[in-house]
Amino acid sequence: MARNRFHRSSYQRYRGGPDPLAPPVDLRSALDEIGEDIMAGASPQRAMREYLRRGTQDMRGLDKLREQINKRRKELLEKNNLDGTFTEIRELLDRAVLNERKQLARDLDDEARFAEMQIGNLPPSTAQAVQELSDYEWRSPEAKADYDKISDLLGREMLDQRFQGMKDALENATDADRQAISEMLTDLNELLAAHNRGEDTTEQFDEFMGKHGQYFPDNPQSTDELVEALAKRAAAAQAFYNSLSPEQRAELDQLAQQAFGSPELMNQLAQMDSQLRQARPDMGWGDSADFTGEQGMGMGQGAGALSDLAELEALSEQLSQQYAGAQMDDIDLDALARQLGPEASADARTLAELEKALKEQNIFHRDADGNLQLSPKAMRQLGQSIFRDVAEQLSGRKGDRATRRTGASGEPTGATREWEFGDTEPWDVTATVGNAVRRTVTEAPGGLEAAGDLAREGVRIDVRDVEVAETEARSKAAVVLLVDTSFSMEMEGRWLPMKRTAVALNHLISTRFRNDELSLIAFGRHARTIDIAELTGLQPRMEQGTNLHHALMLAGRHLRRHPNAQPVVLIVTDGEPTAHLEPDGEPFFYYPPHPATLAMTVRELDAVARLGAQVTIFRLGDDPSLERFVDQIARRIGGRVVAPDIDGLGAAVVGDYLGSRRGRRG
């Protein structure tokens, strides 16, 4: 019996760039958070910037990415030092001298004694000792091999600073290898000189890459790309030099002349550095860094670390977005991936896409005074989100649709009728499907048998089949929401819940009770009618005064403009009246409440009550004076008082409005 063979698959994180199966950017969630910040008092621009800085639970924001960039930079500096090459050279020199002394001790001739004196009197400076031994006749083959490694190491390190990977590639290099490097540098300097003169170097570049392309694994596609890559590395090599102590620089200057046993290499590299500095003077040639760690780096490693530091500093600035003209597109995603990995790059790319999508969706617009506000489209989306939260509070369980049914334009009567353009009543599914089946049978060519085949294949619903449920119309309402905007609302943490309440009620009325007329009135020391976008972005002000008198005057005007509508007045406040409007239009403020203020406020409440308004006062806080005042006026005008928790304010106001609607039948 054949044995079953199973193919084993392994799965891991996708590393080829952005995840192709990742969900699209969540604009709704982003708009919810930005809207919350705006309602809390941030400007629209600052709210968007703060969202990008903060990120989300599943996506690092700019601040987190910058924190990780700065942490990596700190680790580089605290872990490493620049002594690696010097230490390696000193070890080679000490080993060479030790082996030579052993050999000289075995030799009995007078020249050996003289050589011992020369070896024993070497200067303490590594560079000077290496230079003094340049003409020494070595007797120990092992010692000579170690000494020759010094010049070879220096040459490879010098090249590795400018051409990454050259140190390992040229280990045990032959004279032919060194000659090939020299020819490459000569041709490169000619190409750079032509580029700096502004000449067209296309053919010269192609010829150069065809001849020396093995030294450039990044495979640049033009002279500009080649210059960019080389200039970064050369500037890092200069930063390495700048970061050395004066003693180390002096040592390196002397040692460099021994590279590959000839000063020619240094001359060619110096010419190349000069050409690159001329081509890209902005590369930070004067940079330096203070490495304080214990792990020594070679010259090539040090240049690479300094190149990383320059890249990290640039990324930190890009992620800060604090400079003039900053844009998310400024962030170098490839550099971010190199330093923090592809996931960090994906997070930054998502943030940039979010910013771009939010701008393309026109979530902001300027009002008549030039102030930036949430656009109507953004307000609809924000209102829908806030109302969804309020509806969940009303229903007591997530996903309950009771508020949606309550908010329909009427109650079902049990009858149905044919759908007409503009109808918003719910479909009668049974009647609609029945119409579709009957029409299929009637219109099918070939009689009932063919109709049966069509029915088995499926029935298509045509617009002619649709029937909607008849509903009983409800009366129109004139609704006024008066919201307290005195500074105490901000001080006691009631500013944001007040705004969320207004947004939720506005969304409910504008989308589901469109016949109702809503007016929003904000009252502090003055009162004014305000639209929902302006209220959403309204900044708290250090303004004392609760001018309910003025607000009720404006409410009365709105109710009188709609004499055939049922008047509904909803008042949200956390303080008793402390201001009223004088006949000359100026506000009068006094605390504790002045008798004149209380009398004029009560008079306006009486006027609203005479219009037949259903008045509900939502009392916030536990002020005993406010509690006594609202209880008294509620009894006087037959109104209601609700004292909700601050988190339940939206549900209380919307629920009260819906309750008033249930009692209004046409």
Side-chain angles (χ1 to χ4, degrees), residues 85-97:
T85 298
F86 296 103
T87 301
E88 195 172 354
I89 291 174
R90 189 74 220 184
E91 289 174 352
L92 287 171
L93 179 62
D94 289 344
R95 195 162 64 233
V97 169

Side-chain angles (χ1 to χ4, degrees), residues 31-205:
L31 181 58
D32 288 350
E33 293 200 38
I34 291 172
E36 288 282 324
D37 285 348
I38 291 174
M39 288 191 291
S43 68
Q45 289 175 325
R46 181 177 179 182
M48 178 184 284
R49 187 168 64 248
E50 288 299 314
Y51 174 77
L52 296 174
R53 289 179 57 189
R54 186 170 59 245
T56 66
Q57 184 177 358
D58 301 321
M59 176 181 62
R60 284 168 288 186
L62 296 178
D63 281 353
K64 185 63 175 179
L65 291 171
R66 191 183 184 205
E67 177 187 332
Q68 292 176 337
I69 285 290
N70 291 335
K71 180 180 178 182
R72 173 159 167 73
R73 181 181 183 279
K74 183 179 179 182
E75 288 174 349
L76 270 176
L77 291 171
E78 294 181 349
K79 180 180 179 182
N80 302 294
N81 63 56
L82 301 180
D83 291 336
T85 298
F86 296 103
T87 301
E88 195 172 354
I89 291 174
R90 189 74 220 184
E91 289 174 352
L92 287 171
L93 179 62
D94 289 344
R95 195 162 64 233
V97 169
L98 178 62
N99 286 330
E100 183 67 9
R101 280 179 169 172
K102 289 179 180 178
Q103 183 62 47
L104 292 173
R106 290 191 292 267
D107 295 341
L108 303 177
D109 57 285
D110 293 339
E111 292 182 359
R113 306 288 76 75
F114 180 78
E116 281 181 331
M117 292 176 58
Q118 184 179 0
I119 288 288
N121 291 304
L122 288 174
S125 166
T126 302
Q128 291 177 4
V130 170
Q131 189 172 15
E132 189 168 312
L133 291 172
S134 60
D135 297 327
Y136 180 80
E137 295 290 336
W138 297 91
R139 297 195 177 199
S140 167
E142 294 85 358
K144 185 176 190 318
D146 283 335
Y147 180 80
D148 289 343
K149 286 179 181 178
I150 292 175
S151 62
D152 180 70
L153 172 65
L154 284 167
R156 290 187 291 122
E157 288 279 18
M158 291 289 181
L159 288 170
D160 199 47
Q161 282 191 312
R162 278 80 173 178
F163 307 92
Q164 188 173 4
M166 196 72 81
K167 179 181 179 181
D168 294 334
L170 289 179
E171 190 171 9
N172 301 318
T174 64
D175 290 339
D177 295 330
R178 299 187 185 95
Q179 182 60 33
I181 292 293
S182 180
E183 291 177 4
M184 183 272 290
L185 290 173
T186 299
D187 293 344
L188 176 59
N189 282 323
E190 291 177 359
L191 174 63
L192 294 175
H195 174 75
N196 287 341
R197 290 193 298 269
E199 299 176 7
D200 183 357
T201 59
T202 304
E203 292 184 7
Q204 190 175 354
F205 171 80

Side-chain angles (χ1 to χ4, degrees), residues 184-428:
M184 183 272 290
L185 290 173
T186 299
D187 293 344
L188 176 59
N189 282 323
E190 291 177 359
L191 174 63
L192 294 175
H195 174 75
N196 287 341
R197 290 193 298 269
E199 299 176 7
D200 183 357
T201 59
T202 304
E203 292 184 7
Q204 190 175 354
F205 171 80
D206 292 340
E207 182 180 346
F208 175 82
M209 291 301 295
K211 186 177 179 181
H212 305 295
Q214 70 271 24
Y215 299 114
F216 304 93
D218 292 340
N219 194 26
Q221 299 299 305
S222 66
T223 305
D224 287 332
E225 288 187 18
L226 178 65
V227 168
E228 179 77 13
L230 289 174
K232 285 182 179 179
R233 196 77 183 175
Q238 182 62 47
F240 176 93
Y241 184 83
N242 299 339
S243 303
L244 298 174
S245 67
E247 294 79 11
Q248 288 175 317
R249 284 199 291 269
E251 290 267 305
L252 183 58
D253 289 341
Q254 280 189 289
L255 287 170
Q257 301 304 317
Q258 303 297 319
F260 283 149
S262 167
E264 181 182 357
L265 173 67
M266 279 304 299
N267 294 335
Q268 289 177 311
L269 290 177
Q271 182 181 353
M272 183 190 78
D273 289 349
S274 177
Q275 301 273 20
L276 292 170
R277 187 191 290 257
Q278 180 182 345
R280 291 300 308 272
D282 58 325
M283 277 293 180
W285 299 86
D287 291 350
S288 63
D290 185 17
F291 290 91
T292 59
E294 297 182 356
Q295 183 171 313
M297 295 184 295
M299 294 168 63
Q301 290 177 316
L306 282 153
S307 179
D308 283 342
L309 286 174
E311 192 166 75
L312 289 166
E313 288 174 2
L315 283 169
S316 181
E317 183 178 15
Q318 293 162 14
L319 291 167
S320 75
Q321 294 284 289
Q322 296 297 313
Y323 51 91
Q327 300 181 51
M328 290 294 294
D329 289 342
D330 296 343
I331 299 172
D332 188 336
L333 298 178
D334 292 334
L336 193 59
R338 282 193 296 271
Q339 298 299 337
L340 297 184
E343 292 82 4
S345 179
D347 286 343
R349 181 182 288 105
T350 302
L351 289 171
E353 290 173 355
L354 267 172
E355 181 190 47
K356 181 180 179 182
L358 288 168
K359 289 180 177 179
E360 289 177 349
Q361 292 290 326
N362 297 319
I363 67 165
F364 300 134
H365 78 126
R366 295 195 179 275
D367 61 14
D369 297 327
N371 300 315
L372 205 61
Q373 292 183 343
L374 287 172
S375 68
K377 179 179 181 180
M379 284 303 308
R380 286 194 298 272
Q381 294 180 4
L382 182 62
Q384 183 179 9
S385 176
I386 293 175
F387 180 74
R388 188 186 308 116
D389 294 341
V390 170
E392 288 175 4
Q393 286 184 302
L394 284 169
S395 65
R397 60 184 185 275
K398 190 170 183 179
D400 191 289
R401 292 291 181 264
T403 53
R404 180 183 296 274
R405 291 195 297 271
T406 302
S409 59
E411 294 294 336
T413 63
T416 64
R417 60 177 174 80
E418 186 177 333
W419 177 85
E420 297 177 356
F421 180 78
D423 282 340
T424 60
E425 287 80 6
W427 286 17
D428 186 305

